[in-house]
Amino acid sequence: MKNLTTSGVRDVTLDKNGFFGRFIDLVRDSVIPYQWETLNDRVPDAAPSHCIENFKIAAGEAEGEFYGYVFQDSDLAKWLEAVAYSLMTRPDPKLEATADEAIALIGRAQQPDGYLNTYYTVKEPGKRWTNLRDNHELYCAGHMMEAAAAYYTATGKRELLDIMTRMAHHIDSVLGPEDGKLHGYPGHEEVELALVAMYNVTGDPVMLKLAKYFIDERGREPRFFDIEAEKRDGHKPRWRDPGDYAQWHKPVREQDALEGHSVRALYLATGMADVARETGDETLLAACRTLYENLIRKRLYITGGVGSSPAGERFTFDYDLPNDTVYAETCASIALCFFMRAMLRIEPDAKYADTMEQALYNTCIAGMSLDGHNFFYVNPLEVWPEASHKSPEHRHALPVRPKWFGCACCPPNLARLIAGIGKYIYTTDGDTIYTQLYMSGEAKLSLPSCAVTIKTDTDYPKSGKIAITASAGKYALALRIPAYCRGKYSVSLNGAPVDKQPERGYVTIDREWTDGDTVALEIDVSPRRVYANYHVRADAGKVAIARGPVVYCLEEADNDTPLAGASLSSSSPLTCEYKPDKLGGIVEITADGSVAVDDGDDSLYRIAPPPKKPTKLTYIPYYAWANRGEGEMAVYIRED
Amino acid sequence: MKNLTTSGVRDVTLDKNGFFGRFIDLVRDSVIPYQWETLNDRVPDAAPSHCIENFKIAAGEAEGEFYGYVFQDSDLAKWLEAVAYSLMTRPDPKLEATADEAIALIGRAQQPDGYLNTYYTVKEPGKRWTNLRDNHELYCAGHMMEAAAAYYTATGKRELLDIMTRMAHHIDSVLGPEDGKLHGYPGHEEVELALVAMYNVTGDPVMLKLAKYFIDERGREPRFFDIEAEKRDGHKPRWRDPGDYAQWHKPVREQDALEGHSVRALYLATGMADVARETGDETLLAACRTLYENLIRKRLYITGGVGSSPAGERFTFDYDLPNDTVYAETCASIALCFFMRAMLRIEPDAKYADTMEQALYNTCIAGMSLDGHNFFYVNPLEVWPEASHKSPEHRHALPVRPKWFGCACCPPNLARLIAGIGKYIYTTDGDTIYTQLYMSGEAKLSLPSCAVTIKTDTDYPKSGKIAITASAGKYALALRIPAYCRGKYSVSLNGAPVDKQPERGYVTIDREWTDGDTVALEIDVSPRRVYANYHVRADAGKVAIARGPVVYCLEEADNDTPLAGASLSSSSPLTCEYKPDKLGGIVEITADGSVAVDDGDDSLYRIAPPPKKPTKLTYIPYYAWANRGEGEMAVYIRED
């Protein structure tokens, strides 16, 4: 099995004015500082965090009670991880000093035996490891391990790495296959992928052993969470927990679809791929492929969103993709990017990068407002604001992004994804460089035979033109050709057409390069109509518009309403126009359609359909919605 | 203000082979006996009831604990009321003896001060009247009062009437405007309308006074339920209960839409109309009219269902009428019939009877299987069985009727509606007889100037032909012309056309009748396409089919699926054929349409719409759905 390297965050310098430059700047200049203030409870109108205070209390440096969710510690972890990525691309001694202080506090909150968790240390000191199912000890440890690995990579400072190594060894002393240990695994997966991240930095075999154990043990009979619940409650559980909410319904290799809580499911899948890669476990890789194929054929929203139901923030069943009651948590699409990156490290196949790009350019960045101050948890594909306010089934699908959340998982998760975006752009396999994403900037990549500098100049996804300038050396450049262009692309090398068929979605140019050689790739990003499989009830008779990787939507601010009464003419051209001053600069798409109108008949039922009038439909990128106040939004409308 | 009389149950003898004959027989022969067995816990595979046992324990005749909902007593009450109606139309000494025994038991369970409620008597003896908001004491009393009034009317036996009169006086000693009494009202309305029913039988002014008090006090500041909660919990409520769930968000005369729990809302509206009628309160009548107009213009399903959300089984907001996540509880449509009957007693207007008929012929009777053994609580307009099994948002909308329920409100409620259907057919206003419903049979009505026998011969709604034979006397016959026929009807008297315009929906023939005079009414029941108001998002671009008062649906058993992918051709004829052997005898409607098909492309998203093939669409009456196993169902499909 392959074990590809990805570009490191510090290897990639993105252009400030490229498409992602704005998001990275927002994270650096707005999200990271703002989040630090919230962690310290210094934002008066935001939900209280108490996160730093919890650590202080655990360290014996403050009085008080633990406050917050059992996973409150993870907010600080995700912040530290985002800080680490930010420091890799733009040193900031003041920020680093702040992070160092936080890490020192974490160290003081760690218990003598290596245990680290403020909830149990402060609130239930005698109850450690008694409720792995619900109480997120391993989850919090996982996030802090990810932060530790990233912070060490960013700064070379070992303190957090050592803290979390001690914690990993403590976990190993409590959990594992050996007699006398708990044969358990986390109720919320995360530590598996984090242990592999620590293993990749430290080489400590205990990390990999633990990660593999958690993966292998999950869902086996007798089921640990049943045993744990009986021990905790003093009696057998009154009903058999199906276990699918947290993916312990069967051993992971027997699972054939992502089930249950979507973030859990995708963190697990990422951990499975990571362990498969590091151990060469083909059966685990096969399971990952199966989960992926089911996902993209039956359970993925066009926006790269996942999780069809708010009850359990979960997957439901094949082809169940409601547009309005959907959950599609921002964190779940972020987790999908993690999973895809993990798969790309095992097998270069453009389909994984296509899916990653689909999640990234749509649901992930829709999670944040264009000014970086407001965040969505839930990313619906259709919003009727009155329903969001008044219908219990739609209450979770907000029409505008709130400022912050009591359960603040999504904003810091988005921060670490965006700040660390350099990790997702390239993979290298020997002397082959795969371009998985196209972003303007420069990357320095070390190949076995040479060090390479790749310069990318593009306004993608505004256009599909990508100019790549290579540095000298003998290596291969494998250019991802996104499936959405359906073969409409061209590649040239120093002006001469390259006539090669893509393999697994990549056109590979393998040669001895000279400094300044240029590759011009043009991908067709002209707008297209997209229809869902006929099994998808919610989209029957409807059409969506996409352009390149970007899915579009209609907003009330630009269109006649109700959007449910609008339809796109099947014969209409889709006209694109770049609007530099609209929503941070977007390619707007207009088309001809019709919309139902009020003819004065106020009866609820009638024998003639409501009349229609022609209307101009104006589409904007989905990620830019809900930046102009409250209104209706729809990705799909009818076509006639 | 008018105070019309309605036909009594015993006044009307319906033909056994008329449309409703089957349902009445099912209730008599199947539902009432079956329910008695469940009340006595003698049905092994049904949810336990414990209802009779609770009364025995309260009477000191059995040992044990109270079991069931706080409103468990009401199941026996509704059964007794259904028995009363059944006895009115078909004497049954054995059944009457069983009912008498149950009533004697109720009497023994009554406390010396008149109090009657097995939950509080057995389980929380010191806590009476401490939680009017949640614990249904007045609701249970109300149902038993309705039973008492009906049973007295049926049998002339006073025992239950006396029991409930004592209870009413006990309630009056506890609740009311006077100093020292609780200034409260029920958390679940029902007792208001029941007190008026008792008042109509007994003439006891305390009954009307209490009913009026509960109506008038509801929603006034300071709000009783806030005070009660503070008293109960020992502290001020932590949040302000909006109160709309149980209609105490504002005084009833200020309420402009039915809000909250739909059964509560419609029992309240019925009580409001009843009190308005008995007291001549114009402001209360105006409020009833407002609630009605909002309902029929903005909140009523085409099936006569109400309650758009399962969370709170409630109304949500104007034009929010989802077809799949809908609640549309059977009890709520039954309650709508009560409300309409109450309005028809104040003002003869065919619109109320139209709405009653809409509820009755669709959602109400859909609540019961054709064999009378299974019942729906929830009456969706669209079902995808896999969603019912696997989607949290659809789990309440079952694809097949279950046998019985732990919370058994709907089956006995349906039993009392159907057994008592004679109450709904006629109203009389002086010497005018209004025919509100058309059912084959004979009615004997006492008018101020004469006694009249009306014979109706019709297979309505199979056809729209209604032959009425009158007896001698000087009186007026006001024939309801349903609005659905849009003026397409004819009336003749002894073969000669009657050329009169309807007023408020009635064509009135006022004359000196001779025995055997015949009126022939023919209402156009040819099938029609029905479209929702353009504000209804869920039905945009879609069409439903109705024929006379009967709404139709498509079932998987007759049609290609997915139904979401089906559309009705806008140019198709709607062809009717009577199928005597199908689903108890139905007029089936067929039409031309198309349906999406599988072209072998298993991708989730595609750039060409799924192809369609022509298909024959077969519609059956909505009330007859889910009698052929599990499958998809839809009332609305697209039209193109």
Side-chain angles (χ1 to χ4, degrees), chain A residues 301-471:
Chain A
Y301 282 95
I302 188 178
T303 52
V306 286
S308 300
S309 171
E313 307 173 340
R314 67 181 289 159
F315 291 101
T316 52
F317 60 97
D318 292 347
Y319 302 116
D320 182 39
L321 295 165
N323 292 304
D324 54 347
T325 56
V326 49
Y327 203 70
E329 185 178 340
T330 307
C331 281
S333 291
I334 294 168
L336 178 55
C337 293
F338 299 165
F339 179 34
M340 294 300 90
R341 178 175 177 267
M343 292 304 285
L344 287 169
R345 292 189 63 188
I346 303 177
E347 45 191 15
D349 192 320
K351 66 185 179 185
Y352 301 126
D354 285 353
T355 302
M356 178 166 77
E357 188 178 52
Q358 184 182 1
L360 187 61
Y361 281 84
N362 299 292
T363 294
C364 289
I365 58 176
M368 188 159 76
S369 62
L370 294 175
D371 62 8
H373 292 141
N374 302 74
F375 299 88
F376 274 137
Y377 256 52
V378 172
N379 296 279
L381 284 78
E382 185 179 314
V383 160
W384 178 15
E386 199 169 3
S388 301
H389 297 305
K390 297 178 183 170
S391 157
E393 286 67 48
H394 298 82
R395 214 164 268 163
H396 63 289
L398 304 176
V400 289
R401 293 174 187 80
K403 209 173 165 93
W404 200 258
F405 295 87
C407 171
C409 66
C410 295
N413 223 352
L414 198 53
R416 67 182 182 132
L417 175 76
I418 291 171
I421 198 70
K423 293 202 293 180
Y424 302 84
I425 303 177
Y426 299 97
T427 51
T428 61
D429 181 15
D431 284 332
T432 301
I433 300 168
Y434 291 91
T435 59
Q436 308 293 10
L437 296 172
Y438 295 108
M439 296 187 183
S440 224
E442 191 177 277
K444 293 181 189 301
L445 302 168
S446 294
L447 305 182
S449 63
C450 57
V452 177
T453 300
I454 299 281
K455 278 189 190 160
T456 303
D457 187 13
T458 183
D459 59 359
Y460 186 86
K462 182 184 158 196
S463 87
K465 287 185 189 161
I466 297 142
I468 296 173
T469 309
S471 66

Side-chain angles (χ1 to χ4, degrees), chain A residues 296 300-302 309-311 384 386 392-393 486 531-534 537 540 564 598 603-607 632 636, chain B residues 296 300-302 309-311 317 384 392-393 486 531-534 537 540 564 598 603-607 632 636:
Chain A
I296 59 157
L300 181 66
Y301 282 95
I302 188 178
S309 171
W384 178 15
E386 199 169 3
E393 286 67 48
R486 301 177 311 286
Y531 306 86
N533 186 291
Y534 84 111
R537 267 67 168 178
D598 187 2
S603 57
L604 187 49
Y605 300 105
R606 43 192 292 161
I607 59 159
E632 288 192 42
Y636 286 95
Chain B
I296 59 157
L300 181 65
Y301 282 94
I302 186 177
S309 171
F317 60 98
W384 177 15
E393 286 67 49
R486 301 177 311 286
Y531 306 86
N533 186 292
Y534 85 111
R537 267 67 168 179
D598 186 1
S603 57
L604 188 48
Y605 300 105
R606 43 193 290 162
I607 59 160
E632 288 192 41
Y636 286 94

Side-chain angles (χ1 to χ4, degrees), chain A residues 275-290:
Chain A
V275 169
R277 184 187 72 240
E278 298 298 337
T279 62
D281 186 332
E282 288 287 349
T283 61
L284 205 49
L285 174 59
C288 291
R289 287 188 188 124
T290 300

Side-chain angles (χ1 to χ4, degrees), chain A residues 72-89:
Chain A
Q72 208 75 357
D73 289 2
S74 66
D75 288 352
L76 177 56
K78 283 189 242 175
W79 181 80
L80 280 169
E81 188 183 346
V83 167
Y85 298 137
S86 185
L87 293 176
M88 289 187 206
T89 49

Side-chain angles (χ1 to χ4, degrees), chain B residues 445-515:
Chain B
L445 302 168
S446 295
L447 305 182
S449 63
C450 56
V452 177
T453 300
I454 299 281
K455 279 191 189 159
T456 303
D457 186 14
T458 182
D459 59 0
Y460 186 84
K462 181 183 157 195
S463 87
K465 287 184 189 163
I466 298 143
I468 297 172
T469 309
S471 66
K474 173 143 185 28
Y475 58 93
L477 199 56
L479 304 164
R480 178 177 65 99
I481 309 300
Y484 67 70
C485 78
R486 301 177 311 286
K488 290 192 195 154
Y489 67 92
S490 63
V491 182
S492 66
L493 173 63
N494 297 327
V498 174
D499 189 22
K500 278 193 75 174
Q501 285 306 305
E503 281 176 48
R504 288 191 151 206
Y506 302 93
V507 167
T508 303
I509 308 174
D510 191 357
R511 65 194 292 273
E512 181 78 44
W513 299 80
T514 309
D515 276 336

